[in-house]
Amino acid sequence: MARTRIPTPHGTAFLHLYHNNWDRKEHLAMVVDPAQFAEGPQLAPAIRSRSLDAVWSETETEMDRITRGAYVGRLSSTAHAASAPHTAHAHTHHPQSSDNIPSPLIRIHSECFTGETVGSMRCDCGEQLDEAIRLISQPIALPTGTTIPGRGAVVYLRQEGRGIGLLSKLRAYNLQDLGHDTVTANLMLGHGADERGYEVAGAVLRDLGLGGEQGESVRLLTNNPDKVHALQKEGLRVAERVPMVPRSWQGRDAAAGDAAAAPDVERITQGQKESKERAGGATMIGGDAVHGEDLEKYLRTKVLRMGHMLPLYLGDDP
């Protein structure tokens, strides 16, 4: 329905808002593809919405298209050009283009008011959202020695509390304070441990030309094997699962020299080291690592009861 430029602490993203006939909610996609601002042929295809670039009516004007975000290049008071529907997913090959360009990095992220908006440390959702945007925005070094801008997308699904809604989520928090973990608390309230669905995410990715038969395969940023299986069930091609290790765990491993977790701590970058000097903001976008006793319990439950693929530390209590 709309696409607009959003400057973030990690660089520019294009925020897309979708309507759908599956659950009637407004879902979002944050597309990182700064090469769309550049002129001339690009090494990688543009990540654009097929439905946004389509013709909506015979009477629509160029300004109608630009206002909803169906434009090319960068908008300004003196420069603005609507996109052409027949070139929505066209890709003009650069003379040095190769088949060694990594698949776009994708994150499927579910809404979390408590973690993203008020900075709750009962979960790491706010940090994960920020980290996903940061990782996707990192420049990509190609085998040829060429560097291209980071590219990919965060699909933001409006399914609070692993699908049980904010009201039940808050009640589940009280049950957790009584000694139950997040899975048991959901079950006690009559919900499933995880009620999220990924049908809309599959539709959004296909609209962006990602993962479908006619688009690029994707690298999925997740610790949850269920997300990989869910997207594959939707017919999307997942080339690789990329782990997302909590920042507080990475830092602790690095300080302790934990050899068992060495492959994961190698993912610490200069950008993360610099972020340690900033105070964590309540919204966590551009903030610091989150940590605390409640968060540690939550992360351990993810690993031990929900099958998330994260290393636990030697010497931790079972």
Side-chain angles (χ1 to χ4, degrees):
M1 299 303 298
R3 163 187 180 264
T4 193
R5 178 182 63 88
I6 299 292
T8 80
H10 308 298
T12 297
F14 296 97
L15 185 63
H16 298 62
L17 185 145
Y18 284 87
H19 285 175
N20 76 94
N21 59 4
W22 179 266
D23 60 12
R24 306 294 180 179
K25 295 180 180 179
E26 290 184 332
H27 299 281
L28 301 162
M30 288 168 274
V31 173
V32 175
D33 188 19
Q36 292 190 37
F37 289 141
E39 297 182 0
Q42 300 298 311
L43 288 172
I47 303 174
R48 294 191 65 89
S49 163
R50 181 180 293 108
S51 58
L52 184 76
D53 281 327
V55 175
W56 285 12
S57 74
E58 296 180 356
T59 60
E60 68 179 1
T61 66
E62 182 173 276
M63 188 53 63
D64 290 334
R65 296 177 59 79
I66 290 173
T67 301
R68 72 169 185 255
Y71 64 85
V72 293
R74 184 187 293 271
L75 289 183
S76 73
S77 59
T78 58
H80 43 270
S83 59
H86 63 278
T87 60
H89 282 292
H91 172 43
T92 303
H93 284 279
H94 189 282
Q96 298 179 348
S97 179
S98 72
D99 295 329
N100 294 322
I101 297 174
S103 300
L105 187 59
I106 303 301
R107 169 75 179 169
I108 309 299
H109 185 92
S110 295
E111 179 180 37
C112 177
F113 171 81
T114 50
E116 297 161 6
T117 305
V118 298
S120 167
M121 292 189 292
R122 284 183 181 265
C123 67
D124 61 340
C125 299
E127 175 187 287
Q128 284 189 333
L129 180 58
D130 178 66
E131 180 72 348
I133 298 171
R134 190 193 69 80
L135 288 173
I136 294 170
S137 301
Q138 295 299 299
I140 301 170
L142 304 181
T144 59
T146 305
T147 299
I148 64 174
R151 54 195 299 269
V154 176
V155 178
Y156 188 93
L157 300 176
R158 308 296 297 277
Q159 43 187 11
E160 179 79 42
R162 294 201 301 275
I164 69 174
L166 185 57
L167 174 60
S168 289
K169 176 182 178 179
L170 299 183
R171 291 172 173 172
Y173 280 168
N174 289 332
L175 292 174
Q176 290 173 39
D177 283 343
L178 292 174
H180 305 287
D181 64 34
T182 179
V183 172
T184 300
N186 280 17
L187 297 176
M188 291 174 67
L189 291 172
H191 295 289
D194 191 339
E195 295 186 354
R196 291 174 294 180
Y198 299 99
E199 297 84 359
V200 172
V204 168
L205 289 174
R206 283 191 294 270
D207 179 63
L208 293 171
L210 301 174
E213 293 182 1
Q214 303 300 319
E216 300 178 86
S217 61
V218 299
R219 293 179 296 136
L220 186 61
L221 184 60
T222 186
N223 302 318
N224 186 354
D226 289 344
K227 283 187 180 179
V228 178
H229 299 151
L231 290 189
Q232 290 174 335
K233 184 178 178 181
E234 292 299 312
L236 299 180
R237 295 180 295 120
V238 179
E240 179 186 2
R241 183 192 70 85
V242 179
M244 174 173 278
V245 180
R247 289 171 178 167
S248 61
W249 287 22
Q250 292 179 19
R252 186 163 69 178
D253 278 345
D258 188 344
D264 289 316
V265 302
E266 289 177 0
R267 295 177 56 249
I268 295 180
T269 66
Q270 184 62 34
Q272 282 177 283
K273 293 176 182 178
E274 292 173 354
S275 74
K276 300 300 180 184
E277 300 176 0
R278 296 196 303 266
T283 64
M284 295 310 302
I285 299 300
D288 202 348
V290 294
H291 53 81
E293 181 181 353
D294 292 287
L295 176 60
E296 290 293 316
K297 291 178 180 178
Y298 173 77
L299 292 172
R300 288 180 62 83
T301 299
K302 275 188 171 183
V303 175
L304 297 176
R305 299 207 59 188
M306 304 186 72
H308 286 217
M309 302 173 74
L310 277 170
L312 289 177
Y313 299 100
L314 297 175
D316 276 357
D317 293 334

